[in-house]
């Protein structure tokens, strides 16, 4: 899912070893990324599953809105 992708991105930044604060990393991600496109693969073909707009953060959680295709 799009939320999982953002979590993976956060983990990669934290594993960098620079001693970054997790809440700061989430804030950086939410301000740098406006849209996440989630692709699904079926029978070797990739199709758009969902498109999510990142609207910011609230209580440490990404605020996301599903954009209709």
């Amino acid at each position: 899912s799009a939320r999982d992708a953002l979590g993976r991105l956060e983990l990669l930044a934290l594993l960098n070893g620079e001693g970054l604060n997790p809440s700061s990393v989430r804030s950086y991600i939410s301000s740098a990324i406006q849209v996440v496109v989630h692709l699904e693969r079926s029978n070797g073909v990739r199709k758009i599953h969902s498109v999510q707009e990142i609207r910011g953060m609230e209580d440490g959680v990404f605020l996301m809105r599903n954009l209709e295709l």
Side-chain angles (χ1 to χ4, degrees):
S1 73
R3 192 169 301 280
D4 291 339
L6 294 172
R8 287 187 202 112
L9 186 58
E10 179 184 349
L11 179 62
L12 287 172
L14 292 171
L15 289 175
N16 187 26
E18 295 294 324
L20 297 172
N21 181 343
S23 62
S24 295
V25 170
R26 283 190 292 275
S27 177
Y28 295 149
I29 291 170
S30 72
S31 66
I33 297 176
Q34 288 78 42
V35 175
V36 176
V37 178
H38 179 218
L39 301 177
E40 205 172 59
R41 184 172 41 202
S42 176
N43 298 324
V45 177
R46 294 182 192 266
K47 295 183 179 180
I48 295 175
H49 180 264
S50 67
V51 179
Q52 300 280 324
E53 176 186 18
I54 310 304
R55 303 191 68 163
M57 298 285 300
E58 186 173 288
D59 298 325
V61 177
F62 292 106
L63 296 177
M64 300 168 66
R65 180 175 70 107
N66 190 43
L67 300 177
E68 297 297 323
L69 300 175

